[in-house]
Amino acid sequence: MAPRWENQQEGTSLTEQQRDDPAPEIDLSELHGRTYKCIDDCALCCLCQPELLPDEERAFRAAPKLAAGISESHISPEVEGAAIGLKGRHGACHFLSEKRCTIYDLRTHYCRSFPLNVFVGWRVQVNVNMSCRGVGLPGEDLTALGERLAAGYGSERLSKEVSSANDVFTQFIRNTRDAGVAQSFTSVRGTVEMLEDELTEPIGLSRVMTFAEHGNPRENSSAGDIVRRVRRTEAEADISERALMDGVELFDLPDLSLLPVYVDQELRWKIFKLVGKEIVAYDLHEDGRTMETCRIDPPSIDLLPMNDGGRSTMREYLRTINARDCFLGHGAYLCDLEGYEYNFAQVYLGAAANNMIDLWWRASLLARLAGTDELGPREIREGVTFFDMDLLDLSTIGAFI
Ligand code: SF4
Ligand code: SF4
């Protein structure tokens, strides 16, 4: 019998023949109804070191002006091969000058695609980077941009990519079954959908975190059963403490190029770094210079209360990440990392809760700096601006192409 790969999202199975279909499914749902316009003087995306595809690398090496910008390595150790260098090792792209691209017509595939990302798992999905402040502004239709972007790869290439990503997902499913921790993709996503309220308030988050660490659901439990178990779980996890620990850890990196970058509403680039016991906020300049703007005592950044509008914005973001195949792949990556010790739904719920806590903490940090004591839609949206680029960068099974 031909090996079968189960498309658990749809509850169907794909045969080898279907896997080789030259026209894989392309999911553009995250882009529907969204528009975008690039903002002059933002250039946030020019702080993310663009890697060079093999063709681009050849073309860059052949032209001295372009070759001068090549760096033989990427700041992220997972990215192999050549990339464009950053000014001063952690500033902007070599080719940025006063927030203008000096090689605009020759810019890389990465630069042309931004703010879209194409992820390949059991299908192709196009995601939008919500750290881009241009998303939501009246302008180009992101669905049309996403269609063009995906079409640019050609069916054959996409089929090949999907086929090899399918192998990884298939192996993951087998591993979860062998370990007795299997759970369908539909069910894990369903638990997050049903636990939206819990995942956006402290007691609920504490319950979910406690369940993620100590719950013991049966293999292939229904989403409803898992949700009932979560709701019966004692809220033992200390959410504020975890938020602080994770938040601080994120800024505790020796290399400035690895710190998360935030572009504020005045389009200033900001980085935050743990120095001793304090978080130091810096303005980052194109050439990599930093200028300290303030110091913050980490325990003073508690999770600020959210009003109804803030919670509703947070729920919307939770829905977005729950629909992302790369986030599901992140849950699978964690399950694998933890040696298939826990039910997949537990791991996935834990990842969703962790990310909501991290977002909440970052929104609180920014709000505190802005002198605000309550998180409404605007403050949560700022948190998402600071956070989404890092979420899209989480380790995952499947691949961005
Ligand atoms: S992050 Fe978005 S708005 Fe900013 S420069 Fe890049 S594409 Fe334009
Ligand atoms: S090549 Fe141009 S668009 Fe791309 S990151 Fe560099 S400056 Fe920005």
Side-chain angles (χ1 to χ4, degrees):
M1 198 169 109
R4 295 171 79 82
W5 181 80
E6 283 193 24
N7 182 343
Q8 297 200 0
Q9 179 61 19
E10 302 301 331
T12 58
S13 297
L14 300 182
T15 62
E16 283 286 358
Q17 189 187 355
Q18 285 169 307
R19 288 176 50 179
D20 293 338
D21 186 327
E25 179 191 346
I26 299 174
D27 176 45
L28 299 166
S29 53
E30 191 177 325
L31 315 181
H32 291 166
R34 290 185 198 270
T35 51
Y36 143 86
K37 184 176 187 307
C38 185
I39 303 171
D40 274 350
D41 293 331
C42 164
L44 173 76
C45 47
C46 301
L47 296 171
C48 314
Q49 191 180 17
E51 53 198 283
L52 290 165
L53 300 176
D55 283 359
E56 291 171 341
E57 187 182 343
R58 274 192 291 280
F60 270 59
R61 289 202 188 280
K65 179 186 163 193
L66 300 177
I70 296 180
S71 158
E72 297 307 327
S73 62
H74 197 275
I75 49 172
S76 166
E78 293 99 58
V79 179
E80 290 171 2
I84 297 183
L86 298 178
K87 294 182 181 183
R89 287 183 40 84
H90 49 255
C93 168
H94 175 90
F95 295 110
L96 195 73
S97 177
E98 297 184 6
K99 293 202 170 174
R100 294 280 180 281
C101 176
T102 55
I103 57 160
Y104 192 74
D105 291 337
L106 301 168
R107 70 200 191 285
T108 68
H109 169 77
Y110 166 85
C111 312
R112 287 168 202 274
S113 309
F114 207 90
L116 300 182
N117 294 299
V118 178
F119 180 77
V120 182
W122 62 91
R123 61 178 173 181
V124 177
Q125 188 181 59
V126 187
N127 303 127
V128 56
N129 192 322
M130 314 259 287
S131 291
C132 167
R133 287 191 173 274
V135 173
L137 296 182
E140 295 190 75
D141 174 21
L142 279 176
T143 307
L145 282 181
E147 269 167 10
R148 284 208 296 280
L149 178 62
Y153 288 93
S155 289
E156 200 179 329
R157 159 102 193 266
L158 290 182
S159 278
K160 266 199 202 136
E161 299 278 0
V162 167
S163 175
S164 78
N166 276 350
D167 292 340
V168 182
F169 274 86
T170 302
Q171 190 57 51
F172 167 73
I173 292 164
R174 274 196 206 117
N175 293 347
T176 54
R177 284 185 185 148
D178 291 349
V181 297
Q183 199 70 42
S184 80
F185 296 172
T186 310
S187 157
V188 295
R189 281 183 159 158
T191 56
V192 168
E193 266 166 39
M194 286 189 249
L195 289 167
E196 266 182 12
D197 283 346
E198 282 81 356
L199 284 161
T200 49
E201 57 90 11
I203 301 292
L205 278 165
S206 174
R207 275 191 220 294
V208 173
M209 290 301 292
T210 310
F211 175 81
E213 282 154 19
H214 305 292
N216 191 17
R218 275 179 297 107
E219 183 175 29
N220 289 322
S221 297
S222 68
D225 181 44
I226 290 174
V227 167
R228 276 189 292 280
R229 282 164 180 266
V230 170
R231 288 184 176 147
R232 285 201 300 262
T233 301
E234 286 291 327
E236 285 173 356
D238 185 334
I239 296 307
S240 296
E241 190 183 284
R242 283 166 196 237
L244 182 62
M245 244 166 52
D246 286 2
V248 168
E249 194 180 280
L250 186 80
F251 300 142
D252 188 13
L253 294 169
D255 190 337
L256 298 189
S257 66
L258 298 173
L259 292 169
V261 186
Y262 164 66
V263 59
D264 74 9
Q265 294 179 58
E266 280 78 44
L267 305 179
R268 288 176 302 222
W269 301 329
K270 301 269 179 202
I271 53 173
F272 300 87
K273 179 165 170 37
L274 189 71
V275 179
K277 290 190 170 169
E278 289 178 311
I279 294 173
V280 182
Y282 298 95
D283 279 348
L284 176 66
H285 297 276
E286 214 167 270
D287 57 7
R289 273 179 308 119
T290 51
M291 189 186 290
E292 182 177 325
T293 54
C294 68
R295 288 184 172 241
I296 308 147
D297 180 28
S300 71
I301 312 296
D302 204 359
L303 296 174
L304 291 177
M306 250 186 289
N307 63 28
D308 288 349
R311 274 189 86 194
S312 153
T313 306
M314 194 150 156
R315 273 198 290 264
E316 258 172 53
Y317 184 62
L318 177 64
R319 269 173 229 147
T320 300
I321 68 170
N322 191 33
R324 281 182 179 164
D325 296 346
C326 60
F327 191 67
L328 198 102
H330 173 62
Y333 168 87
L334 293 176
C335 206
D336 184 71
L337 193 72
E338 290 163 7
Y340 299 91
E341 198 178 330
Y342 303 99
N343 181 293
F344 181 38
Q346 261 178 295
V347 179
Y348 186 75
L349 272 171
N354 249 324
N355 281 286
M356 287 301 103
I357 294 168
D358 289 350
L359 165 64
W360 195 338
W361 191 82
R362 285 209 213 180
S364 301
L365 168 70
L366 297 176
R368 187 65 89 198
L369 289 176
T372 311
D373 288 335
E374 187 182 61
L375 305 178
R378 183 181 152 117
E379 286 74 28
I380 296 294
R381 181 68 186 91
E382 283 310 301
V384 170
T385 302
F386 191 13
F387 186 68
D388 199 47
M389 193 175 279
D390 298 319
L391 188 120
L392 284 166
D393 210 25
L394 290 174
S395 301
T396 181
I397 66 169
F400 285 103
I401 57 170

